[in-house]
PDB file of all heavy atoms in Angstrom:
ATOM      1  N   ASN A   1     107.618  96.698  93.248  1.00 95.00           N
ATOM      2  CA  ASN A   1     106.978  97.923  93.665  1.00 95.00           C
ATOM      3  C   ASN A   1     107.188  99.053  92.685  1.00 95.00           C
ATOM      4  O   ASN A   1     106.267  99.850  92.445  1.00 95.00           O
ATOM      5  CB  ASN A   1     107.486  98.347  95.049  1.00 95.00           C
ATOM      6  CG  ASN A   1     108.976  98.697  95.101  1.00 95.00           C
ATOM      7  OD1 ASN A   1     109.768  98.068  94.383  1.00 95.00           O
ATOM      8  ND2 ASN A   1     109.316  99.669  95.876  1.00 95.00           N
ATOM      9  N   ILE A   2     108.330  99.073  92.031  1.00 96.00           N
ATOM     10  CA  ILE A   2     108.568 100.081  91.017  1.00 96.00           C
ATOM     11  C   ILE A   2     107.856  99.745  89.731  1.00 96.00           C
ATOM     12  O   ILE A   2     107.284 100.639  89.054  1.00 96.00           O
ATOM     13  CB  ILE A   2     110.113 100.244  90.774  1.00 96.00           C
ATOM     14  CG1 ILE A   2     110.736 100.741  92.090  1.00 96.00           C
ATOM     15  CG2 ILE A   2     110.361 101.217  89.627  1.00 96.00           C
ATOM     16  CD1 ILE A   2     112.236 100.814  92.050  1.00 96.00           C
ATOM     17  N   ASN A   3     107.768  98.467  89.391  1.00 97.00           N
ATOM     18  CA  ASN A   3     106.937  98.044  88.253  1.00 97.00           C
ATOM     19  C   ASN A   3     105.492  98.520  88.442  1.00 97.00           C
ATOM     20  O   ASN A   3     104.859  99.013  87.485  1.00 97.00           O
ATOM     21  CB  ASN A   3     106.981  96.548  88.092  1.00 97.00           C
ATOM     22  CG  ASN A   3     108.115  96.071  87.194  1.00 97.00           C
ATOM     23  OD1 ASN A   3     108.936  96.878  86.733  1.00 97.00           O
ATOM     24  ND2 ASN A   3     108.186  94.773  86.963  1.00 97.00           N
ATOM     25  N   ASN A   4     105.003  98.331  89.627  1.00 97.00           N
ATOM     26  CA  ASN A   4     103.608  98.744  89.919  1.00 97.00           C
ATOM     27  C   ASN A   4     103.425 100.264  89.771  1.00 97.00           C
ATOM     28  O   ASN A   4     102.415 100.719  89.221  1.00 97.00           O
ATOM     29  CB  ASN A   4     103.180  98.301  91.330  1.00 97.00           C
ATOM     30  CG  ASN A   4     103.044  96.788  91.434  1.00 97.00           C
ATOM     31  OD1 ASN A   4     102.863  96.115  90.446  1.00 97.00           O
ATOM     32  ND2 ASN A   4     103.166  96.309  92.680  1.00 97.00           N
ATOM     33  N   TYR A   5     104.370 101.026  90.264  1.00 97.00           N
ATOM     34  CA  TYR A   5     104.333 102.463  90.127  1.00 97.00           C
ATOM     35  C   TYR A   5     104.337 102.907  88.673  1.00 97.00           C
ATOM     36  O   TYR A   5     103.568 103.736  88.250  1.00 97.00           O
ATOM     37  CB  TYR A   5     105.495 103.120  90.904  1.00 97.00           C
ATOM     38  CG  TYR A   5     105.628 104.596  90.658  1.00 97.00           C
ATOM     39  CD1 TYR A   5     104.760 105.496  91.261  1.00 97.00           C
ATOM     40  CD2 TYR A   5     106.592 105.118  89.799  1.00 97.00           C
ATOM     41  CE1 TYR A   5     104.857 106.864  91.045  1.00 97.00           C
ATOM     42  CE2 TYR A   5     106.721 106.470  89.578  1.00 97.00           C
ATOM     43  CZ  TYR A   5     105.839 107.333  90.218  1.00 97.00           C
ATOM     44  OH  TYR A   5     105.966 108.683  89.928  1.00 97.00           O
ATOM     45  N   LEU A   6     105.221 102.291  87.895  1.00 97.00           N
ATOM     46  CA  LEU A   6     105.308 102.624  86.460  1.00 97.00           C
ATOM     47  C   LEU A   6     104.084 102.193  85.706  1.00 97.00           C
ATOM     48  O   LEU A   6     103.631 102.885  84.782  1.00 97.00           O
ATOM     49  CB  LEU A   6     106.553 102.000  85.848  1.00 97.00           C
ATOM     50  CG  LEU A   6     107.888 102.479  86.417  1.00 97.00           C
ATOM     51  CD1 LEU A   6     109.058 101.720  85.832  1.00 97.00           C
ATOM     52  CD2 LEU A   6     108.080 104.006  86.139  1.00 97.00           C
ATOM     53  N   PHE A   7     103.489 101.067  86.120  1.00 96.00           N
ATOM     54  CA  PHE A   7     102.213 100.632  85.487  1.00 96.00           C
ATOM     55  C   PHE A   7     101.115 101.656  85.728  1.00 96.00           C
ATOM     56  O   PHE A   7     100.303 101.931  84.844  1.00 96.00           O
ATOM     57  CB  PHE A   7     101.827  99.262  86.045  1.00 96.00           C
ATOM     58  CG  PHE A   7     100.528  98.748  85.423  1.00 96.00           C
ATOM     59  CD1 PHE A   7     100.522  98.112  84.208  1.00 96.00           C
ATOM     60  CD2 PHE A   7      99.325  98.894  86.114  1.00 96.00           C
ATOM     61  CE1 PHE A   7      99.345  97.640  83.647  1.00 96.00           C
ATOM     62  CE2 PHE A   7      98.125  98.413  85.560  1.00 96.00           C
ATOM     63  CZ  PHE A   7      98.134  97.813  84.336  1.00 96.00           C
ATOM     64  N   ASN A   8     101.078 102.216  86.927  1.00 95.00           N
ATOM     65  CA  ASN A   8     100.083 103.226  87.228  1.00 95.00           C
ATOM     66  C   ASN A   8     100.294 104.498  86.405  1.00 95.00           C
ATOM     67  O   ASN A   8      99.326 105.230  86.133  1.00 95.00           O
ATOM     68  CB  ASN A   8     100.085 103.604  88.711  1.00 95.00           C
ATOM     69  CG  ASN A   8      99.574 102.460  89.575  1.00 95.00           C
ATOM     70  OD1 ASN A   8      98.766 101.646  89.161  1.00 95.00           O
ATOM     71  ND2 ASN A   8     100.012 102.417  90.844  1.00 95.00           N
ATOM     72  N   ASN A   9     101.535 104.747  86.018  1.00 94.00           N
ATOM     73  CA  ASN A   9     101.836 105.929  85.180  1.00 94.00           C
ATOM     74  C   ASN A   9     101.611 105.700  83.707  1.00 94.00           C
ATOM     75  O   ASN A   9     101.120 106.592  83.005  1.00 94.00           O
ATOM     76  CB  ASN A   9     103.323 106.320  85.390  1.00 94.00           C
ATOM     77  CG  ASN A   9     103.511 107.217  86.604  1.00 94.00           C
ATOM     78  OD1 ASN A   9     103.465 108.443  86.487  1.00 94.00           O
ATOM     79  ND2 ASN A   9     103.726 106.610  87.747  1.00 94.00           N
ATOM     80  N   PHE A  10     101.963 104.508  83.211  1.00 94.00           N
ATOM     81  CA  PHE A  10     101.987 104.280  81.778  1.00 94.00           C
ATOM     82  C   PHE A  10     101.087 103.140  81.288  1.00 94.00           C
ATOM     83  O   PHE A  10     100.939 102.992  80.088  1.00 94.00           O
ATOM     84  CB  PHE A  10     103.433 104.000  81.340  1.00 94.00           C
ATOM     85  CG  PHE A  10     104.388 105.097  81.616  1.00 94.00           C
ATOM     86  CD1 PHE A  10     105.410 104.904  82.552  1.00 94.00           C
ATOM     87  CD2 PHE A  10     104.324 106.345  80.980  1.00 94.00           C
ATOM     88  CE1 PHE A  10     106.323 105.894  82.833  1.00 94.00           C
ATOM     89  CE2 PHE A  10     105.207 107.335  81.267  1.00 94.00           C
ATOM     90  CZ  PHE A  10     106.233 107.129  82.189  1.00 94.00           C
ATOM     91  N   GLY A  11     100.568 102.355  82.181  1.00 94.00           N
ATOM     92  CA  GLY A  11      99.896 101.136  81.730  1.00 94.00           C
ATOM     93  C   GLY A  11     100.916 100.059  81.426  1.00 94.00           C
ATOM     94  O   GLY A  11     102.010 100.018  82.017  1.00 94.00           O
ATOM     95  N   GLU A  12     100.565  99.147  80.556  1.00 94.00           N
ATOM     96  CA  GLU A  12     101.451  98.013  80.273  1.00 94.00           C
ATOM     97  C   GLU A  12     102.777  98.433  79.647  1.00 94.00           C
ATOM     98  O   GLU A  12     102.818  99.395  78.870  1.00 94.00           O
ATOM     99  CB  GLU A  12     100.742  97.026  79.331  1.00 94.00           C
ATOM    100  CG  GLU A  12      99.561  96.305  79.994  1.00 94.00           C
ATOM    101  CD  GLU A  12      98.999  95.217  79.094  1.00 94.00           C
ATOM    102  OE1 GLU A  12      99.571  94.982  78.004  1.00 94.00           O
ATOM    103  OE2 GLU A  12      98.031  94.587  79.465  1.00 94.00           O
ATOM    104  N   PHE A  13     103.842  97.720  80.044  1.00 96.00           N
ATOM    105  CA  PHE A  13     105.166  97.995  79.478  1.00 96.00           C
ATOM    106  C   PHE A  13     105.954  96.711  79.534  1.00 96.00           C
ATOM    107  O   PHE A  13     105.632  95.763  80.229  1.00 96.00           O
ATOM    108  CB  PHE A  13     105.858  99.114  80.260  1.00 96.00           C
ATOM    109  CG  PHE A  13     106.096  98.829  81.712  1.00 96.00           C
ATOM    110  CD1 PHE A  13     107.165  98.109  82.165  1.00 96.00           C
ATOM    111  CD2 PHE A  13     105.125  99.210  82.684  1.00 96.00           C
ATOM    112  CE1 PHE A  13     107.344  97.804  83.508  1.00 96.00           C
ATOM    113  CE2 PHE A  13     105.281  98.934  84.024  1.00 96.00           C
ATOM    114  CZ  PHE A  13     106.384  98.227  84.434  1.00 96.00           C
ATOM    115  N   GLU A  14     107.072  96.691  78.764  1.00 96.00           N
ATOM    116  CA  GLU A  14     108.022  95.598  78.811  1.00 96.00           C
ATOM    117  C   GLU A  14     109.148  95.893  79.763  1.00 96.00           C
ATOM    118  O   GLU A  14     109.599  97.000  79.864  1.00 96.00           O
ATOM    119  CB  GLU A  14     108.582  95.324  77.405  1.00 96.00           C
ATOM    120  CG  GLU A  14     107.532  94.910  76.391  1.00 96.00           C
ATOM    121  CD  GLU A  14     108.148  94.705  75.009  1.00 96.00           C
ATOM    122  OE1 GLU A  14     109.351  94.866  74.862  1.00 96.00           O
ATOM    123  OE2 GLU A  14     107.373  94.298  74.093  1.00 96.00           O
ATOM    124  N   TYR A  15     109.635  94.870  80.450  1.00 98.00           N
ATOM    125  CA  TYR A  15     110.815  95.054  81.346  1.00 98.00           C
ATOM    126  C   TYR A  15     111.771  93.889  81.180  1.00 98.00           C
ATOM    127  O   TYR A  15     111.370  92.756  80.907  1.00 98.00           O
ATOM    128  CB  TYR A  15     110.376  95.279  82.790  1.00 98.00           C
ATOM    129  CG  TYR A  15     109.739  94.097  83.471  1.00 98.00           C
ATOM    130  CD1 TYR A  15     110.507  93.158  84.199  1.00 98.00           C
ATOM    131  CD2 TYR A  15     108.371  93.893  83.457  1.00 98.00           C
ATOM    132  CE1 TYR A  15     109.951  92.089  84.826  1.00 98.00           C
ATOM    133  CE2 TYR A  15     107.771  92.815  84.064  1.00 98.00           C
ATOM    134  CZ  TYR A  15     108.587  91.918  84.774  1.00 98.00           C
ATOM    135  OH  TYR A  15     107.989  90.835  85.401  1.00 98.00           O
ATOM    136  N   LYS A  16     113.024  94.232  81.362  1.00 98.00           N
ATOM    137  CA  LYS A  16     114.101  93.250  81.280  1.00 98.00           C
ATOM    138  C   LYS A  16     115.156  93.497  82.354  1.00 98.00           C
ATOM    139  O   LYS A  16     115.184  94.558  82.977  1.00 98.00           O
ATOM    140  CB  LYS A  16     114.796  93.299  79.885  1.00 98.00           C
ATOM    141  CG  LYS A  16     113.948  92.785  78.738  1.00 98.00           C
ATOM    142  CD  LYS A  16     114.744  92.751  77.460  1.00 98.00           C
ATOM    143  CE  LYS A  16     113.959  92.139  76.323  1.00 98.00           C
ATOM    144  NZ  LYS A  16     114.736  92.025  75.073  1.00 98.00           N
ATOM    145  N   HIS A  17     116.025  92.519  82.546  1.00 98.00           N
ATOM    146  CA  HIS A  17     117.161  92.705  83.436  1.00 98.00           C
ATOM    147  C   HIS A  17     118.322  93.282  82.635  1.00 98.00           C
ATOM    148  O   HIS A  17     118.500  92.980  81.467  1.00 98.00           O
ATOM    149  CB  HIS A  17     117.591  91.329  84.009  1.00 98.00           C
ATOM    150  CG  HIS A  17     118.596  91.479  85.118  1.00 98.00           C
ATOM    151  ND1 HIS A  17     119.935  91.308  84.952  1.00 98.00           N
ATOM    152  CD2 HIS A  17     118.421  91.735  86.467  1.00 98.00           C
ATOM    153  CE1 HIS A  17     120.542  91.477  86.120  1.00 98.00           C
ATOM    154  NE2 HIS A  17     119.666  91.724  87.047  1.00 98.00           N
ATOM    155  N   HIS A  18     119.091  94.142  83.295  1.00 98.00           N
ATOM    156  CA  HIS A  18     120.180  94.862  82.587  1.00 98.00           C
ATOM    157  C   HIS A  18     121.191  93.885  82.013  1.00 98.00           C
ATOM    158  O   HIS A  18     121.804  94.163  80.950  1.00 98.00           O
ATOM    159  CB  HIS A  18     120.868  95.896  83.496  1.00 98.00           C
ATOM    160  CG  HIS A  18     121.887  95.334  84.409  1.00 98.00           C
ATOM    161  ND1 HIS A  18     121.570  94.547  85.551  1.00 98.00           N
ATOM    162  CD2 HIS A  18     123.267  95.363  84.386  1.00 98.00           C
ATOM    163  CE1 HIS A  18     122.699  94.200  86.159  1.00 98.00           C
ATOM    164  NE2 HIS A  18     123.723  94.651  85.460  1.00 98.00           N
ATOM    165  N   ASN A  19     121.418  92.781  82.689  1.00 97.00           N
ATOM    166  CA  ASN A  19     122.432  91.861  82.225  1.00 97.00           C
ATOM    167  C   ASN A  19     122.038  91.201  80.896  1.00 97.00           C
ATOM    168  O   ASN A  19     122.897  90.858  80.096  1.00 97.00           O
ATOM    169  CB  ASN A  19     122.681  90.801  83.312  1.00 97.00           C
ATOM    170  CG  ASN A  19     124.033  90.168  83.188  1.00 97.00           C
ATOM    171  OD1 ASN A  19     125.017  90.884  83.162  1.00 97.00           O
ATOM    172  ND2 ASN A  19     124.090  88.854  83.102  1.00 97.00           N
ATOM    173  N   THR A  20     120.746  91.047  80.681  1.00 97.00           N
ATOM    174  CA  THR A  20     120.278  90.521  79.411  1.00 97.00           C
ATOM    175  C   THR A  20     120.715  91.408  78.253  1.00 97.00           C
ATOM    176  O   THR A  20     121.205  90.966  77.249  1.00 97.00           O
ATOM    177  CB  THR A  20     118.741  90.388  79.428  1.00 97.00           C
ATOM    178  OG1 THR A  20     118.363  89.541  80.487  1.00 97.00           O
ATOM    179  CG2 THR A  20     118.194  89.841  78.110  1.00 97.00           C
ATOM    180  N   LEU A  21     120.519  92.735  78.436  1.00 97.00           N
ATOM    181  CA  LEU A  21     120.885  93.679  77.436  1.00 97.00           C
ATOM    182  C   LEU A  21     122.400  93.736  77.183  1.00 97.00           C
ATOM    183  O   LEU A  21     122.880  93.813  76.059  1.00 97.00           O
ATOM    184  CB  LEU A  21     120.351  95.059  77.763  1.00 97.00           C
ATOM    185  CG  LEU A  21     118.809  95.170  77.872  1.00 97.00           C
ATOM    186  CD1 LEU A  21     118.413  96.558  78.288  1.00 97.00           C
ATOM    187  CD2 LEU A  21     118.157  94.838  76.531  1.00 97.00           C
ATOM    188  N   LEU A  22     123.143  93.702  78.288  1.00 97.00           N
ATOM    189  CA  LEU A  22     124.598  93.705  78.183  1.00 97.00           C
ATOM    190  C   LEU A  22     125.130  92.529  77.436  1.00 97.00           C
ATOM    191  O   LEU A  22     125.939  92.651  76.488  1.00 97.00           O
ATOM    192  CB  LEU A  22     125.227  93.754  79.564  1.00 97.00           C
ATOM    193  CG  LEU A  22     125.284  95.083  80.309  1.00 97.00           C
ATOM    194  CD1 LEU A  22     125.914  94.907  81.685  1.00 97.00           C
ATOM    195  CD2 LEU A  22     126.053  96.135  79.520  1.00 97.00           C
ATOM    196  N   ILE A  23     124.638  91.339  77.777  1.00 96.00           N
ATOM    197  CA  ILE A  23     125.121  90.133  77.088  1.00 96.00           C
ATOM    198  C   ILE A  23     124.780  90.196  75.595  1.00 96.00           C
ATOM    199  O   ILE A  23     125.614  89.877  74.722  1.00 96.00           O
ATOM    200  CB  ILE A  23     124.513  88.877  77.725  1.00 96.00           C
ATOM    201  CG1 ILE A  23     125.084  88.675  79.136  1.00 96.00           C
ATOM    202  CG2 ILE A  23     124.757  87.634  76.857  1.00 96.00           C
ATOM    203  CD1 ILE A  23     124.423  87.571  79.927  1.00 96.00           C
ATOM    204  N   ASP A  24     123.560  90.609  75.260  1.00 94.00           N
ATOM    205  CA  ASP A  24     123.163  90.668  73.863  1.00 94.00           C
ATOM    206  C   ASP A  24     123.982  91.690  73.098  1.00 94.00           C
ATOM    207  O   ASP A  24     124.446  91.431  71.986  1.00 94.00           O
ATOM    208  CB  ASP A  24     121.673  91.038  73.744  1.00 94.00           C
ATOM    209  CG  ASP A  24     120.779  89.833  74.057  1.00 94.00           C
ATOM    210  OD1 ASP A  24     121.261  88.704  74.089  1.00 94.00           O
ATOM    211  OD2 ASP A  24     119.571  90.055  74.305  1.00 94.00           O
ATOM    212  N   LYS A  25     124.217  92.862  73.719  1.00 94.00           N
ATOM    213  CA  LYS A  25     125.007  93.878  73.015  1.00 94.00           C
ATOM    214  C   LYS A  25     126.467  93.526  72.874  1.00 94.00           C
ATOM    215  O   LYS A  25     127.077  93.710  71.813  1.00 94.00           O
ATOM    216  CB  LYS A  25     124.862  95.235  73.795  1.00 94.00           C
ATOM    217  CG  LYS A  25     123.481  95.857  73.676  1.00 94.00           C
ATOM    218  CD  LYS A  25     123.409  97.229  74.361  1.00 94.00           C
ATOM    219  CE  LYS A  25     122.044  97.861  74.166  1.00 94.00           C
ATOM    220  NZ  LYS A  25     121.950  99.239  74.705  1.00 94.00           N
ATOM    221  N   PHE A  26     127.026  92.957  73.943  1.00 95.00           N
ATOM    222  CA  PHE A  26     128.440  92.536  73.855  1.00 95.00           C
ATOM    223  C   PHE A  26     128.589  91.402  72.825  1.00 95.00           C
ATOM    224  O   PHE A  26     129.596  91.359  72.067  1.00 95.00           O
ATOM    225  CB  PHE A  26     128.935  92.062  75.202  1.00 95.00           C
ATOM    226  CG  PHE A  26     129.076  93.172  76.239  1.00 95.00           C
ATOM    227  CD1 PHE A  26     129.017  92.857  77.586  1.00 95.00           C
ATOM    228  CD2 PHE A  26     129.233  94.474  75.868  1.00 95.00           C
ATOM    229  CE1 PHE A  26     129.149  93.882  78.560  1.00 95.00           C
ATOM    230  CE2 PHE A  26     129.356  95.466  76.804  1.00 95.00           C
ATOM    231  CZ  PHE A  26     129.311  95.171  78.156  1.00 95.00           C
ATOM    232  N   THR A  27     127.653  90.487  72.781  1.00 94.00           N
ATOM    233  CA  THR A  27     127.720  89.391  71.834  1.00 94.00           C
ATOM    234  C   THR A  27     127.674  89.924  70.391  1.00 94.00           C
ATOM    235  O   THR A  27     128.426  89.441  69.502  1.00 94.00           O
ATOM    236  CB  THR A  27     126.544  88.400  72.058  1.00 94.00           C
ATOM    237  OG1 THR A  27     126.616  87.872  73.395  1.00 94.00           O
ATOM    238  CG2 THR A  27     126.601  87.231  71.069  1.00 94.00           C
ATOM    239  N   GLN A  28     126.795  90.886  70.138  1.00 91.00           N
ATOM    240  CA  GLN A  28     126.710  91.466  68.814  1.00 91.00           C
ATOM    241  C   GLN A  28     128.007  92.135  68.363  1.00 91.00           C
ATOM    242  O   GLN A  28     128.416  92.081  67.206  1.00 91.00           O
ATOM    243  CB  GLN A  28     125.596  92.464  68.757  1.00 91.00           C
ATOM    244  CG  GLN A  28     124.198  91.869  68.856  1.00 91.00           C
ATOM    245  CD  GLN A  28     123.106  92.918  69.038  1.00 91.00           C
ATOM    246  OE1 GLN A  28     123.312  94.119  68.783  1.00 91.00           O
ATOM    247  NE2 GLN A  28     121.931  92.501  69.472  1.00 91.00           N
ATOM    248  N   LYS A  29     128.681  92.770  69.306  1.00 90.00           N
ATOM    249  CA  LYS A  29     129.880  93.539  68.989  1.00 90.00           C
ATOM    250  C   LYS A  29     131.155  92.733  69.022  1.00 90.00           C
ATOM    251  O   LYS A  29     132.202  93.161  68.530  1.00 90.00           O
ATOM    252  CB  LYS A  29     130.020  94.756  69.955  1.00 90.00           C
ATOM    253  CG  LYS A  29     128.962  95.813  69.738  1.00 90.00           C
ATOM    254  CD  LYS A  29     129.160  97.011  70.671  1.00 90.00           C
ATOM    255  CE  LYS A  29     128.176  98.134  70.353  1.00 90.00           C
ATOM    256  NZ  LYS A  29     128.460  98.750  69.046  1.00 90.00           N
TER     257      LYS A  29
END
């Protein structure tokens, strides 16, 4: 429902799960 709201505001966008970013950042560091 929030994706739909943001799509109405901005059009297409990319979305990810926060855990994906955490794992990638922690792995890099």
Side-chain angles (χ1 to χ4, degrees):
N1 63 324
I2 298 174
N3 271 3
N4 290 338
Y5 172 75
L6 296 174
F7 180 82
N8 290 335
N9 276 269
F10 300 113
E12 291 187 3
F13 59 87
E14 296 180 358
Y15 66 91
K16 289 186 176 183
H17 191 263
H18 82 285
N19 204 53
T20 301
L21 298 177
L22 281 178
I23 291 172
D24 285 345
K25 290 184 177 186
F26 292 156
T27 301
Q28 291 171 17
K29 290 183 175 291

